[in-house]
Amino acid sequence: MYRRAGVFVTRRPRLVLLAALLFLLVSVAFGAGAAGRLKTGGYDDPQSGSSRAARVAAAHLGASPNLVLVARAAGGSVDDPAARTAGEGLTGRLAAQPHVTGVTSYWTGRAAELRGRDGRTAMLLAHVDGEGEQLAARVRRLGGELTAPTGPAPALTVRAGGTALTDAELQEIAESDLKRAEYVVLPGTLILLVLVFGSVVAAALPLLIGVLAIAGTLLVLSVLGSVTDVSVFALNLTTALGLGLGIDYGLLIVSRFREELAAGYRPRNAAVRTVRTAGHTIGFSAATVCAALATLLVFPPYFLRSFAYAGIAVVVIAAVSAVTVLPALLTLLGQRVNAWPVPWRHRVRTGSRSPFWEGLARIVVRRPLVAALPVIGLLLVLAAPFAHAGFATPDDRALPVGAASRQTGDLVRGAFDMKGSGALSVVMTGTAPRQAREEYARRLSALPQVARVVGPVGDDPAQISVVPLADPASRAAQQLVREIRGTPAPVGTGVLVGGPSAVLVDAKDTVGDRIPTALALIALTTFVLLLGFTRSLLLPLKAIALNALSLTAVLGAMVWIFQTGHLSHLLGFTPGPLSTTMPVLLFCIVFGLSVDYEVFVLARIKEAHDAGQDTAASIVSGVARTGGIVTTAGALLAFTLLSFGTSRVSLLQFFGIGAGLGVLLDATLVRGVLVPALMRLAGGLNWWAPRPLRRREPVPAPRPPPAAAGRCAPGRCNPARTAVRVHAPARR
């Protein structure tokens, strides 16, 4: 299949490049507005009890507040005449705004929880209708208008916050950070690629694949964003994976093409042979990465599902481009792939082995246990903190301290009694009599950790507000949610529990309940794909075990950094529990990239073994040929990912640093040391498989003698006159 694809694209290279150009233009034209169709949030299961409680309450009892105004008296108390007059005027202005409902103010109801402990601050709550960009525009406008001074000496200073403004600022800062990262990453990556490839022309080829993958994925996200919910953070994954996989696949294709040129093949023959060998590797690599990313579709929150949409699109477009567009370009370029060279990088332009990785492989093969045990010990030490991981749902503390909604959130947490804001909303539907509902409310008030119960309010549905004694994120508050749900409701009544603690319980249950299924799927698909690729029973199991170990090490490091806060001053984030969704996202993405590198290494080791080398020699040969490629690809991808670690949003910092660290560990210690060490210890068992799987696999054709057709002296080939002859595979 890959040989036929190679023959086709190298026979009509200009047609392939024209099609790629049209695809790029269409993607840019229709995908440029993708960000406007994407959303923030999406961390909860829409079918969970807390989500359904919120929808029922919003439809019948009024939507919960998503805009918070905190007013501070210029002097004295908020009950002073001047402050009271200004507060009542502010309340009237807020209520008169279009698309604003459910306005609650300290100056209209005198609710104690809306008055700060120092008496100088007071709060106003409201709900702003809308969603997505529409809601973001409305809350930005309201925040600007209502916080602007009303005179030379205003009686109140006003700050705006709330979930709607938090989401709007998250989206705005994430997009700004993405553009800032691109300004650094693209030129920085090009410079590094020039140093790696040894020529400017060769360095530009992986970036072309990355640009095609990013543009095509933006088109996909734009279409999906018009029909379903897609997270705005999928844009960051699109950029990181697009560049990363473009570099991975570009390195593999260009390096193999250079090898074939150095062996004397004409450009078109070299391109066909490259597609047949490296293209086969890329096909399996893309399949394994897609399988890992598809596991995210098991989870209901659209935040996670969005990364599956973006990731799969990026992988498919990058892989297809690498085995079609790149060979077409290489056929036309021929020896000019090495044009504009870096003089001191001659060796890399010939596709030769890496002396460093060959030497390391020989050491590891000679002393596999001595090499493997320290690396395993290091990974276990890194993994240890994950045993103490805590989880929470993201809020305004994911923003930098200078963001408006973050400052308002900090003010609310520091100046107000927050027990009321953590109240659980118990929504009762059905036709139970009033007396039965009141008796149910009394039973709830008798539960441990309940400060007070208000209600029931309304008829069908009715709402009971349960204020916990404990912090909403604490174990006690979460246990209270389970106790309320376990308390028998009146006959003929359905009960839904919402509120901050219920949202956290449901988020943890949503992820936790599906983790076994996700792990089983990712392990099974990886095993099946690697089994088909290697025709070995042991190698897929070894790959899964090593990936699990390195990923646990990464998650442990993330607990040490973000939960314990060891690098908080350097990176500028607020330490706290991990987001319920981010470890799952990190696991699936890094697992897929790890298998990607595994396929690269195993392909060359298996190729050498199928050509007749013993296990030790094939390991050394494979690592020597791929060690430089894998490490270089990993370093460049890590550079792209770690650039997101400079974001001002802690969620992006977690993703960038975690994924970058995972790629670096995998591309160096795991693929460079653990893989060859364990393969050397396994010996002949590496290649054992049940009899039905022992069919002969095609291997790369041995290079014919110099007089054979299809070869010529380096630098003397005319691509337009090159015939394609691919020799039959060697037989074992």
Side-chain angles (χ1 to χ4, degrees):
M1 179 182 73
Y2 290 98
R3 187 192 69 83
R4 290 195 296 270
V7 170
F8 175 81
V9 299
T10 58
R11 182 180 296 157
R12 302 173 179 83
R14 290 178 177 82
L15 179 62
V16 173
L17 295 179
L18 178 60
L21 177 61
L22 291 176
F23 173 76
L24 179 62
L25 293 175
V26 170
S27 298
V28 170
F30 294 97
R37 295 185 173 92
L38 308 185
K39 301 179 179 180
T40 54
Y43 311 112
D44 309 321
D45 179 2
Q47 299 305 316
S48 66
S50 57
S51 296
R52 287 185 288 138
R55 288 197 297 271
V56 172
H60 299 279
L61 303 170
S64 58
N66 59 3
L67 178 66
V68 176
L69 298 180
V70 177
R72 183 174 183 82
S77 166
V78 293
D79 294 314
D80 291 344
R84 184 171 63 250
T85 301
E88 291 171 351
L90 178 64
T91 304
R93 288 170 58 202
L94 178 60
Q97 297 290 331
H99 312 293
V100 174
T101 58
V103 175
T104 304
S105 167
Y106 167 72
W107 289 283
T108 56
R110 300 295 186 196
E113 61 268 21
L114 297 182
R115 185 177 187 269
R117 287 188 292 267
D118 62 357
R120 297 189 59 189
T121 52
M123 199 185 311
L124 298 85
L125 307 175
H127 178 82
V128 183
D129 296 329
E131 60 180 21
E133 275 293 318
Q134 184 186 59
L135 176 59
R138 288 172 180 172
V139 295
R140 288 193 193 102
R141 178 185 60 80
L142 285 172
E145 291 181 2
L146 297 175
T147 59
T150 55
L156 296 175
T157 302
V158 183
R159 292 183 179 274
T163 57
L165 188 58
T166 297
D167 288 346
E169 290 188 321
L170 273 173
Q171 181 167 356
E172 182 179 356
I173 293 175
E175 292 177 5
S176 172
D177 288 348
L178 177 60
K179 292 178 181 178
R180 180 167 53 86
E182 288 173 346
Y183 293 148
V184 175
V185 167
L186 286 173
T189 300
L190 180 59
I191 293 171
L192 292 174
L193 283 172
V194 170
L195 296 176
V196 168
F197 278 105
S199 86
V200 175
V201 172
L205 299 180
L207 282 183
L208 172 62
I209 301 304
V211 169
L212 284 172
I214 292 170
T217 303
L218 289 178
L219 175 62
V220 172
L221 292 179
S222 181
V223 173
L224 288 175
S226 63
V227 297
T228 189
D229 294 332
V230 180
S231 172
V232 69
F233 293 114
L235 294 174
N236 301 83
L237 178 68
T238 298
T239 299
L241 269 191
L243 288 175
L245 291 177
I247 291 167
D248 286 359
Y249 298 158
L251 270 169
L252 197 62
I253 291 287
V254 174
S255 298
R256 190 61 184 242
F257 179 74
R258 283 169 155 177
E259 282 187 42
E260 303 297 344
L261 284 182
Y265 282 96
R266 294 176 180 173
R268 188 178 168 201
N269 294 75
V272 173
R273 290 175 64 87
T274 297
V275 174
R276 186 183 176 196
T277 52
H280 179 254
T281 301
I282 287 172
F284 268 95
S285 167
T288 54
V289 177
C290 286
L293 291 169
T295 308
L296 293 170
L297 296 174
V298 170
F299 300 93
Y302 74 76
F303 176 82
L304 291 175
R305 300 172 72 88
S306 300
F307 285 89
Y309 304 148
I312 292 173
V314 163
V315 173
V316 171
I317 297 171
V320 171
S321 300
V323 298
T324 57
V325 179
L326 265 190
L329 264 175
L330 292 171
T331 299
L332 296 176
L333 286 173
Q335 292 288 346
R336 288 171 294 179
V337 70
N338 295 318
W340 298 355
V342 177
W344 61 89
R345 297 290 288 167
H346 172 74
R347 182 181 58 79
V348 299
R349 298 198 298 273
T350 63
S352 56
R353 298 179 174 213
S354 166
F356 172 80
W357 288 103
E358 184 173 6
L360 178 61
R362 292 189 185 280
I363 295 172
V364 171
V365 165
R366 192 178 303 120
R367 296 285 188 273
L369 276 177
V370 174
L373 289 178
V375 175
I376 293 174
L378 173 63
L379 295 179
L380 290 175
V381 169
L382 289 175
F386 189 59
H388 309 289
F391 299 96
T393 52
D395 58 16
D396 59 87
R397 282 168 284 194
L399 289 166
V401 293
S405 57
R406 169 65 188 272
Q407 291 179 340
T408 302
D410 288 341
L411 182 58
V412 169
R413 284 183 287 271
F416 291 83
D417 180 1
M418 293 298 295
K419 288 183 179 179
S421 65
L424 297 170
S425 174
V426 181
V427 180
M428 304 174 63
T429 59
T431 57
R434 178 78 179 180
Q435 183 178 0
R437 295 180 178 180
E438 291 177 348
E439 174 59 27
Y440 177 68
R442 282 192 290 271
R443 291 205 305 273
L444 296 183
S445 66
L447 293 174
Q449 296 298 324
V450 173
R452 65 180 183 273
V453 172
V454 179
V457 176
D459 187 12
D460 184 17
Q463 185 175 31
I464 300 174
S465 181
V466 179
V467 180
L469 287 169
D471 182 88
S474 66
R475 292 180 181 272
Q478 295 174 54
Q479 180 59 31
L480 177 60
V481 173
R482 302 187 190 279
E483 290 174 355
I484 292 175
R485 288 173 172 171
T487 301
V491 177
T493 300
V495 172
L496 297 170
V497 182
S501 301
V503 169
L504 177 56
V505 168
D506 289 341
K508 293 170 69 173
D509 288 348
T510 295
V511 172
D513 291 347
R514 290 166 175 81
I515 280 181
T517 301
L519 292 178
L521 283 174
I522 202 170
L524 179 62
T525 53
T526 301
F527 177 80
V528 170
L529 287 167
L530 288 181
L531 181 65
F533 181 69
T534 63
R535 300 290 163 182
S536 164
L537 198 62
L538 180 64
L539 292 178
L541 296 175
K542 182 264 305 173
I544 292 170
L546 288 183
N547 287 354
L549 176 60
S550 63
L551 278 166
T552 307
V554 171
L555 292 173
M558 292 301 97
V559 171
W560 186 82
I561 294 172
F562 286 92
Q563 181 174 310
T564 311
H566 283 92
L567 299 183
S568 59
H569 293 295
L570 176 64
L571 299 174
F573 63 85
T574 302
L578 307 183
S579 167
T580 53
T581 54
M582 291 306 294
V584 175
L585 173 65
L586 192 63
F587 183 93
C588 292
I589 289 176
V590 178
F591 191 98
L593 293 173
S594 299
V595 178
D596 179 45
Y597 296 138
E598 180 84 10
V599 170
F600 287 5
V601 176
L602 289 181
R604 294 307 290 261
I605 295 176
K606 184 175 184 297
E607 182 179 321
H609 183 267
D610 290 346
Q613 297 184 20
D614 61 22
T615 298
S618 63
I619 291 172
V620 173
S621 176
V623 172
R625 289 289 186 186
T626 60
I629 294 174
V630 168
T631 306
T632 300
L636 289 170
L637 177 55
F639 172 72
T640 302
L641 291 167
L642 290 173
S643 69
F644 294 109
T646 64
S647 172
R648 293 167 292 168
V649 178
S650 62
L651 294 176
L652 292 180
Q653 289 179 319
F654 183 98
F655 167 71
I657 294 173
L661 176 61
V663 167
L664 285 177
L665 285 176
D666 192 83
T668 54
L669 296 180
V670 175
R671 304 303 148 206
V673 178
L674 289 185
V675 168
L678 296 185
M679 289 188 69
R680 181 67 181 94
L681 290 171
L685 291 176
N686 287 303
W687 318 110
W688 183 88
R691 185 174 296 277
L693 295 174
R694 298 180 197 170
R695 68 179 178 84
R696 188 160 44 247
E697 279 288 293
V699 297
R703 294 190 173 100
R711 291 170 62 100
C712 60
R716 297 178 62 85
C717 290
N718 183 348
R721 298 181 179 179
T722 301
V724 177
R725 294 189 184 181
V726 178
H727 296 264
R731 298 183 180 273
R732 286 183 287 178

